[in-house]
Amino acid sequence: MNACNLNNAALSNFCNTSFDRQFAVHCLNQALEAAARRQTGVDIMTSSSCCTTTTPAADANDDAERVYSFSDCLYDDYDEGMFSFATPVMLLRPQHQNTIDVILNEETPAGGNEGIPSCRSNSSKMTAEIAIYYNLGLIHALPGAAQDDNEAMRCLQKALDIKMSATTNHDLWSRFQNQPSFCAILHNIGHVNYRNGRFDDASQNYSQARDMLIRGSNSPSAAFDRLDTHALICLSATLNCLGVSLLRCVNGQKDNKKAEDFKVISETFTEAYAINEKILEKNDSSASLRRATATILNNIGRAKFQALDFPSALTAYVNSYEMRFTFLGEDHLDTAATLCNIADTHAHLRDFVSAAESYEKFISIAEPILGEGHCDVAVALSSLGQTLQGMNDLDGAVVYLSRALKASELAFGKSHESIAIICTYLGHVSYELGLFDSSVQAYQAGLAVELELVEMFRLQVPKTMVNIARSFEVQSLWEEALVHYQKALDIFQEQDSPTKQNDVIEVMSLIAYVHEQAGDFSRAEEVLLTTLELKRQRHGGTNSFSVSVTLNVLGLVKFS
C-alpha cells in the first residue's frame, strides 16, 4: 500500500469510540516508510484541514466544530479554552491531472514521469511526510493510557521542520503550504508544552502560530477582513491559548507580577473575544463558538481579577455566566466555575452577601459532580465559611468551616497548608462564639500542621501559640496560658522579622497581665520593667503614650 492509503486507513474511525490508537500508529509508521520510497499516492494540491486563508468563508458552526472538537480542553475539570487543532489530515489521490503534471515536470528529475506523483515528485513526498508526522503527533497526544507527549512533540516538531525546509527550498510550495498549516502545527506543539507545564515554551509557540495567521497585518483585528471564517476561529482559539499560557507564566513568578503583564494578557483575550463577536454577528447559530466566547470572557475576568481590577473582572464574569447559563445550563460545571469566580470577586469588593450566595450555588452544583473531597469544593467551602464570618454569621461560619476541614483532609491530606488555615479560622470563630475549648482544639490542630510545615508557617507559629494562650487565659487557666505565651515569646525573640520588637513587647505585656491576674505581682512587676525598657528603646529613649500605659499598669501592680 502507498502512503496515502496507509495514512487514511490509520485515521478511519478517528472521531469514534472505536478508534484504535495502536493500529493507527502502526499504519502511520508504515506510511512514513512508503513515503520515503516515494510511494505516496498523494495529490500535492491537497486542501488543508486547518487554518486555510484562501478558501471561501464557510458556515461558522461547521468551522467552530472543526476547531473545537476532539480536543482535551479541560484542565482541573474546567474549560479554559485550551484546545488543540485535533482534526487529522487526510491525503487525497490525484484529481487534477493537468495541474499535477505541471508540478511534476517542474520538480521531477530528467527521465520523464509516469503521471504518478507518488513515484517521482519530491514535493509529493514532503507533503505526505508533513501530514503523516502531523497525524502521528495528534494521535500520540490523545488523552488516555497510551498518551505519549514526548513522541507527540517529536512528530509535530518533525512536521514543522520539514514544512519549514520545504517553504525555504521550493518555489512551488506556496501552492500547498497550508497542508497542514504552520498555525495548526505550532498551536499543537504549544498545546503539548502547556499540558506538561512548560508555559514559557507554550507561550512562544502560540505567539508564533498567531504571527503566522496574521502575517502581513499589524494586529489580529487588522487581519479580520483578510481571513476567512475558519482561519478567524483558529486565530481566536490561538489568542485565547496564548493568553492562558501567559497568565500561567505570570502566576509562576513569586514576587514579580507586573501590571504591564496583565495588560498584555487582557488585550490578548480581548482580541480573541472581539473576533468571535464579529463572527457571531454574521452567524450566531454556532453553539461551539458561543461556548468558546463564554470561556474567553471568563479568562478576561481572571486576568482582570489578578490585576486587582475587580469591577472589570466582575463585569466579564457576569457576562460569561449569562452565556454559559444559556448554552450549558445552570448545572454545568463550567457555569458553576464562573459562579465561583463571581463569588471571589464579590468577596474582594466586600459584598459578602452576594459572595455567599454565589459560593452556595457553586457548592450545590459542584459537590454532586466532583464529590466532597474535591479540592475546589474544599476551597469553596472554606471561602464561604470565611465570608459568613465577615458577615458575623458565626454559626454558619462554623458549619461551613467544619465541612471545609473535612473536605480538605480528603482532597489534600491532613498535613496540607489549607488544614492549618482552616483550623485558624475555626479557632477565631469559636473564640468569638465563646466556645473556648473548641477554639483551643482548633488552634492546636492548626499548630500541629504549621510545625510540620514550619518553613512555610515560620512567622505564623508564634501567633498561633498566642491564640492558644488567649483561649486559656479567658478561662483563667493561667499556667496553660503562660506556657504558650512563653513559647511564643522565645520564637519571636529568635526571629528576624520587621515586627520583631513590637511582637516581643506585645507578648511580654500579655505575660505580665497573666502574672497579675494569677496574683504573682512580683513576677508581673519584673516583666513590666523589662517591657518598659523595651518600649523606651523603641521610641528612642523618650516617653510616649505606650510608655505611659505601661507605667500606669506598673503602678497598679506595685500598689497591689
Side-chain angles (χ1 to χ4, degrees):
M1 295 178 69
N2 59 35
C4 175
N5 292 335
L6 287 163
N7 177 83
N8 296 347
L11 303 179
S12 61
N13 297 319
F14 178 79
C15 304
N16 301 328
T17 55
S18 59
F19 178 69
D20 186 335
R21 187 199 306 247
Q22 185 176 0
F23 171 75
V25 170
H26 173 74
C27 286
L28 289 171
N29 283 325
Q30 293 269 317
L32 283 175
E33 294 179 8
R37 298 191 299 268
R38 308 297 177 90
Q39 296 172 344
T40 61
V42 174
D43 181 351
I44 59 176
M45 303 301 291
T46 311
S47 62
S48 170
S49 67
C50 300
C51 305
T52 59
T53 60
T54 56
T55 58
D59 181 80
N61 188 61
D62 294 338
D63 283 330
E65 291 299 331
R66 290 165 69 191
V67 175
Y68 296 119
S69 297
F70 317 121
S71 308
D72 54 328
C73 58
L74 300 185
Y75 291 83
D76 301 327
D77 300 300
Y78 308 110
D79 180 7
E80 292 184 304
M82 296 305 292
F83 293 90
S84 61
F85 293 164
T87 305
V89 175
M90 303 294 284
L91 295 176
L92 305 183
R93 301 181 191 284
Q95 295 177 354
H96 308 289
Q97 191 63 52
N98 292 336
T99 304
I100 294 169
D101 286 343
V102 171
I103 296 174
L104 287 174
N105 290 334
E106 289 175 345
E107 297 190 355
T108 302
N113 68 74
E114 303 171 3
I116 304 176
S118 59
C119 295
R120 295 285 186 255
S121 172
N122 187 55
S123 294
S124 175
K125 171 181 176 291
M126 299 177 88
T127 300
E129 287 181 334
I130 293 169
I132 295 165
Y133 274 119
Y134 178 78
N135 291 335
L136 272 169
L138 294 186
I139 291 169
H140 282 301
L142 285 175
Q147 176 182 319
D148 187 343
D149 281 354
N150 289 332
E151 190 63 16
M153 181 67 76
R154 185 190 72 83
C155 292
L156 289 169
Q157 188 62 53
K158 185 71 173 178
L160 181 64
D161 291 343
I162 297 173
K163 190 171 181 68
M164 290 293 293
S165 173
T167 305
T168 302
N169 297 321
H170 292 270
D171 293 335
L172 292 176
W173 198 257
S174 61
R175 302 185 188 182
F176 45 84
Q177 62 181 346
N178 285 326
Q179 198 279 327
S181 71
F182 279 112
C183 172
I185 300 172
L186 285 164
H187 186 110
N188 287 349
I189 291 174
H191 189 69
V192 176
N193 276 324
Y194 179 87
R195 188 163 61 192
N196 286 274
R198 298 186 289 268
F199 303 125
D200 287 324
D201 291 339
S203 298
Q204 184 177 358
N205 299 141
Y206 290 130
S207 294
Q208 292 171 329
R210 174 203 58 193
D211 293 344
M212 283 291 184
L213 275 167
I214 67 170
R215 58 188 182 278
S217 302
N218 295 326
S219 67
S221 58
F224 184 84
D225 293 333
R226 181 173 58 81
L227 300 179
D228 64 31
T229 301
H230 180 61
L232 286 170
I233 293 174
C234 292
L235 176 58
S236 172
T238 298
L239 287 167
N240 179 74
C241 290
L242 173 59
V244 174
S245 295
L246 290 172
L247 198 59
R248 296 272 183 168
C249 290
V250 174
N251 289 340
Q253 302 170 4
K254 291 184 178 179
D255 298 310
N256 193 32
K257 295 182 180 180
K258 300 178 181 177
E260 186 62 28
D261 292 331
F262 289 114
K263 181 181 178 182
V264 170
I265 293 167
S266 294
E267 289 174 350
T268 302
F269 285 134
T270 301
E271 287 177 333
Y273 173 73
I275 290 171
N276 282 11
E277 281 293 284
K278 287 184 178 181
I279 297 171
L280 288 169
E281 286 176 5
K282 300 177 181 179
N283 185 336
D284 64 355
S285 64
S286 173
S288 295
L289 190 59
R290 284 201 169 277
R291 178 172 178 173
T293 304
T295 298
I296 294 169
L297 280 169
N298 190 69
N299 289 337
I300 290 173
R302 292 168 61 197
K304 296 292 186 182
F305 183 93
Q306 294 188 44
L308 307 182
D309 183 358
F310 301 120
S312 296
L314 184 60
T315 298
Y317 283 143
V318 169
N319 289 337
S320 174
Y321 173 75
E322 290 174 351
M323 291 186 72
R324 284 180 161 177
F325 183 92
T326 300
F327 289 94
L328 300 177
E330 181 179 11
D331 295 333
H332 193 280
L333 198 55
D334 289 333
T335 307
T338 305
L339 266 177
C340 194
N341 292 335
I342 289 172
D344 289 340
T345 310
H346 279 309
H348 278 80
L349 291 169
R350 312 296 292 178
D351 184 354
F352 295 127
V353 174
S354 298
E357 181 182 349
S358 295
Y359 280 132
E360 285 186 276
K361 285 183 180 179
F362 169 78
I363 293 166
S364 68
I365 299 168
E367 190 170 21
I369 299 172
L370 301 175
E372 178 188 16
H374 190 275
C375 57
D376 291 332
V377 173
V379 170
L381 287 167
S382 178
S383 297
L384 178 53
Q386 295 170 43
T387 300
L388 292 173
Q389 181 188 10
M391 296 167 59
N392 206 35
D393 181 359
L394 301 182
D395 290 327
V398 168
V399 170
Y400 280 100
L401 287 171
S402 298
R403 287 180 61 187
L405 183 59
K406 180 181 178 182
S408 295
E409 289 177 346
L410 292 171
F412 307 114
K414 295 187 177 182
S415 299
H416 190 266
E417 61 189 89
S418 63
I419 304 299
I421 295 169
I422 294 170
C423 285
T424 297
Y425 279 105
L426 264 176
H428 293 340
V429 174
S430 298
Y431 187 94
E432 291 180 62
L433 285 169
L435 304 173
F436 303 117
D437 286 339
S438 296
S439 67
V440 169
Q441 184 179 0
Y443 286 136
Q444 287 180 332
L447 179 62
V449 178
E450 290 171 4
L451 291 173
E452 284 190 53
L453 307 174
V454 67
E455 287 301 315
M456 180 182 298
F457 289 101
R458 182 176 58 87
L459 299 178
Q460 180 61 35
V461 166
K463 295 177 182 178
T464 302
M465 290 178 172
V466 168
N467 289 332
I468 294 172
R470 281 176 168 157
S471 296
F472 282 127
E473 177 190 316
V474 77
Q475 300 177 77
S476 301
L477 299 173
W478 311 121
E479 290 187 12
E480 291 87 342
L482 284 172
V483 167
H484 286 85
Y485 277 138
Q486 187 61 51
K487 288 181 179 179
L489 179 62
D490 292 342
I491 296 174
F492 278 133
Q493 289 175 329
E494 293 175 0
Q495 283 184 349
D496 182 17
S497 71
T499 62
K500 174 180 178 177
Q501 193 175 34
N502 290 338
D503 293 334
V504 169
I505 289 171
E506 179 184 359
V507 176
M508 291 192 70
S509 298
L510 293 169
I511 290 173
Y513 175 78
V514 172
H515 281 305
E516 179 191 358
Q517 293 299 308
D520 189 347
F521 300 113
S522 60
R523 181 60 180 148
E525 180 181 351
E526 180 183 341
V527 176
L528 283 169
L529 286 170
T530 304
T531 304
L532 184 63
E533 181 62 25
L534 290 172
K535 285 188 174 183
R536 283 175 170 161
Q537 290 176 10
R538 183 177 62 181
H539 295 285
T542 62
N543 289 326
S544 64
F545 176 76
S546 176
V547 170
S548 69
V549 170
T550 302
L551 284 168
N552 182 65
V553 174
L554 182 58
L556 292 173
V557 170
K558 284 179 175 290
F559 180 77
S560 301

